[in-house]
Amino acid sequence: PSVVFTDQAGHTVPWDGLRGKVVVAAALDTGCSDTCPLYTAVLGDLQRVLKARGWQQRVVIADISMDSERDSTAELATYASRFGADWELLRTDAVSTLRFWSALHYSYLKLPASPGQIDWYTGRPPLYHLHHDSVALVFDADGYLRANVQGVPRLGHALTPALAALVSPSSGLAQQESVASWSITDLLDRLDIVLGEPAEADRGVEQAARVGAHAPDFSLPGLDGGTVSLHAQLGHPVVVNFFASWCQPCKQELPLLAGAVARHPDLTVLALDQGEGVDAVRGFLAGVLRPAQQLALTALVDGDRTVGGDYAATGLPVSVFVDSDGVVRATHVGQLDEASLQQGLAAIS
């Protein structure tokens, strides 16, 4: 439908004005304490992938409010700033909101608020709870709805502390991996079709880290307060490994990588934690590695997952084998075993 929205900066955004670009739109309720924080996180992941692939001029991300009463321009601006929503957050009047979502056959309903709940924005109990459909939609450049994903997204990483604080313990999403119905890969698969790009399964690790190309450089903080860059490792073979504390395969893989360093003194393993803090990473490593193994690895904190986005490490673990000239010679998505590790090391020796 032809609807005129206002974004978080107060700018007018006609829906028809987005024609010419593919639009990934998601339902938003800033007062939501279950699925909406997860959608904000996955759209942040999508934003990083778009930047890594150079698709920012082809694709627009838009969160579209279902709650015209509560989601004022000011609240949208605060939500964007506090929770890292670096894309369009759109609202309109109540009649137009209903018309827009009804035309797409999605719905929402006001219900009594849960006892004890506090609104993050006002600091007071909310006046109501908005029960709504949870959905992300892909519109083509002509404005036609081409695909959707619905339900609980599986992130593949921890929520930021700010977003995690939004999720109500009673929502049942504390174990969201067990109830998730889609992931960013599912969303990207649909986006690939609309853009006429190769499917995700055909990409492997993102082309920015393709075999034969120079590995994207980065500089990240370590656990000791210093900073480590990839370019500083030139002259030595390097394994760039993406991991997180919630990742069960990572727990099995990290000791294997530490053992490789012990056997190959010239090898450096840069282990990049995705989306967590220094204290969480230090505690996790202490639980899965012996002290000598911890010293063998160079653990770095990719807190906002920017480097993970550059390498399109959308599923963990991911290992990129870089030779002494800084050129990618092999990649491995998923848990390494001894055979796959030796194959990767042979490519950079």
Side-chain angles (χ1 to χ4, degrees):
S2 180
V3 173
V4 177
F5 294 99
T6 301
D7 68 11
Q8 66 267 38
H11 300 140
T12 299
V13 181
W15 181 248
D16 291 343
L18 298 177
R19 299 282 175 85
K21 294 187 178 183
V22 172
V23 179
V24 178
L28 175 66
D29 162 25
T30 63
C32 175
S33 59
D34 39 57
T35 57
C36 287
L38 304 180
Y39 273 73
T40 297
V42 81
L43 290 182
D45 293 341
L46 176 62
Q47 182 85 306
R48 283 182 281 275
V49 173
L50 296 183
K51 290 179 180 178
R53 296 182 181 177
W55 290 357
Q56 308 98 305
Q57 302 306 313
R58 302 175 64 189
V59 182
V60 173
I61 300 176
D63 259 324
I64 302 178
S65 174
M66 284 185 164
D67 192 347
S68 59
E69 179 179 335
R70 187 159 45 192
D71 289 346
S72 64
T73 300
E75 184 156 348
L76 291 179
T78 304
Y79 187 93
S81 174
R82 183 175 299 185
F83 303 112
D86 183 23
W87 51 87
E88 295 276 24
L89 272 60
L90 305 178
R91 70 169 309 278
T92 186
D93 60 83
V95 172
S96 297
T97 299
L98 180 61
R99 184 161 62 90
F100 180 86
W101 287 110
S102 296
L104 297 169
H105 306 291
Y106 296 106
S107 63
Y108 49 90
L109 176 68
K110 282 186 179 181
L111 296 174
S114 301
Q117 189 174 359
I118 298 297
D119 187 293
W120 68 269
Y121 184 67
T122 65
R124 299 190 296 271
L127 299 177
Y128 58 87
H129 163 70
L130 193 76
H131 180 74
H132 62 83
D133 288 330
S134 298
V135 61
L137 311 164
V138 181
F139 296 86
D140 66 21
D142 294 319
Y144 290 100
L145 178 59
R146 294 281 300 279
N148 68 73
V149 288
Q150 292 182 253
V152 181
R154 180 175 62 255
L155 298 183
H157 60 76
L159 286 168
T160 64
L163 284 172
L166 281 183
V167 179
S168 169
S170 63
S171 68
L173 295 179
Q175 302 297 325
Q176 58 101 3
E177 295 288 332
S178 64
V179 297
S181 57
W182 62 276
S183 70
I184 187 174
T185 301
D186 298 309
L187 180 57
L188 285 168
D189 278 333
R190 289 153 176 78
L191 185 58
D192 291 335
I193 292 171
V194 176
L195 290 172
E197 294 286 344
E200 295 305 298
D202 297 331
R203 288 180 175 273
V205 177
E206 176 52 35
Q207 294 176 9
R210 68 187 182 276
V211 173
H214 279 84
D217 193 22
F218 57 82
S219 182
L220 290 172
L223 302 187
D224 60 358
T227 300
V228 177
S229 64
L230 179 60
H231 69 259
Q233 314 308 315
L234 288 174
H236 302 274
V238 177
V239 179
V240 181
N241 176 260
F242 296 87
F243 78 97
S245 65
W246 50 264
C247 168
Q248 290 298 323
C250 300
K251 296 179 181 179
Q252 307 300 319
E253 182 179 81
L254 288 171
L256 195 66
L257 288 168
V261 175
R263 295 191 303 273
H264 304 276
D266 196 39
L267 176 69
T268 298
V269 173
L270 301 181
L272 278 58
D273 177 82
Q274 298 296 284
E276 300 172 298
V278 170
D279 291 341
V281 176
R282 186 180 288 114
F284 167 70
L285 293 179
V288 299
L289 297 173
R290 299 189 301 274
Q293 292 176 316
Q294 294 178 54
L295 293 174
L297 302 180
T298 302
L300 306 176
V301 178
D302 186 16
D304 60 3
R305 302 184 299 280
T306 296
V307 180
D310 290 342
Y311 282 74
T314 53
L316 299 181
V318 170
S319 298
V320 180
F321 295 83
V322 182
D323 69 14
S324 57
D325 294 322
V327 176
V328 176
R329 296 303 179 189
T331 62
H332 186 86
V333 179
Q335 182 179 338
L336 289 164
D337 57 19
E338 190 62 44
S340 55
L341 175 59
Q342 291 307 317
Q343 185 178 6
L345 294 177
I348 58 176
S349 62

